[in-house]
Amino acid sequence: MYETATNINEGRKSRIYILCVTAVMTAVTCVLAPFSIPIGPVPISLTNLVIYISLYLLGWKMATVSYIVYILIGLAGLPVFSGFSGGPAKLAGPTGGYIVGFIPMAIIAGLTIRYFKNRFVQFVGMVVGTAVCYVFGTAWFCVLMDSTVAVALSTCVIPFIPGDILKMIAALAVGPAVKKSLKSAF
């Protein structure tokens, strides 16, 4: 019937952990995402790696919230997007679809991570989520740049596949280990 002091403290501790880690992962995204390698209209960035790791630390809901806060910070004009850019023009530019596409990527991969403990299945969830992100980004790129799908895929998807697979593997290795360390510290 009544919550004990221990249960109340555990609830506070859990909420504090979630809020702190959400803020930290938003900050990590803001710090790492601008460092990108321009290889064409869409640069290589570490944004998806941070999102994948966030999914392990926060779960799909709060990791998605963390990423949305990052987008809002960028839309406000702070230079947190790739190439140290910010503002609505970045979202309206050739990479805007990928920026938005990271939201369903986080949800799909996050739900898979939550409900399946098998690392291979989690990897497949990340692949499917990333494919959905690619669809959002490629469609937006085609519309904005008046490009064919073949050109968009060869420019904006195919060069990124090997690096994205490496980021997924890194997140599979690092995410659970960091989560375990953080949980024991709290």
Side-chain angles (χ1 to χ4, degrees):
M1 281 188 189
Y2 297 101
E3 288 188 272
T4 65
T6 304
N7 289 344
I8 292 170
N9 287 336
E10 288 298 318
R12 286 186 188 140
K13 195 174 181 181
S14 177
R15 285 191 300 265
I16 291 169
Y17 168 84
I18 291 168
L19 290 173
C20 289
V21 176
T22 301
V24 166
M25 293 314 294
T26 301
V28 169
T29 308
C30 289
V31 169
L32 293 181
F35 293 101
S36 57
I37 301 169
I39 62 167
V42 178
I44 296 172
S45 81
L46 296 174
T47 307
N48 51 346
L49 174 64
V50 175
I51 293 169
Y52 296 140
I53 293 171
S54 296
L55 294 169
Y56 283 101
L57 304 182
L58 294 165
W60 72 273
K61 288 179 187 175
M62 293 310 294
T64 304
V65 167
S66 171
Y67 180 70
I68 290 170
V69 170
Y70 157 78
I71 292 174
L72 293 173
I73 290 169
L75 283 174
L78 276 79
V80 297
F81 294 139
S82 63
F84 295 93
S85 59
K90 185 68 172 187
L91 202 59
T95 60
Y98 297 100
I99 293 170
V100 171
F102 283 138
I103 296 170
M105 180 194 81
I107 294 168
I108 293 165
L111 286 169
T112 305
I113 289 167
R114 177 179 179 181
Y115 290 109
F116 299 95
K117 299 307 173 202
N118 180 290
R119 296 283 174 91
F120 179 75
V121 175
Q122 292 177 352
F123 176 77
V124 170
M126 289 181 193
V127 169
V128 171
T130 301
V132 170
C133 179
Y134 287 162
V135 168
F136 273 80
T138 302
W140 181 247
F141 184 86
C142 287
V143 169
L144 187 69
M145 304 301 285
D146 195 28
S147 172
T148 66
V149 173
V151 168
L153 289 174
S154 67
T155 306
C156 306
V157 174
I158 294 169
F160 296 88
I161 292 172
D164 286 348
I165 289 171
L166 290 174
K167 292 174 201 173
M168 291 174 209
I169 292 168
L172 283 164
V174 171
V178 172
K179 180 180 181 176
K180 184 177 179 182
S181 294
L182 285 176
K183 287 289 186 178
S184 67
F186 274 87

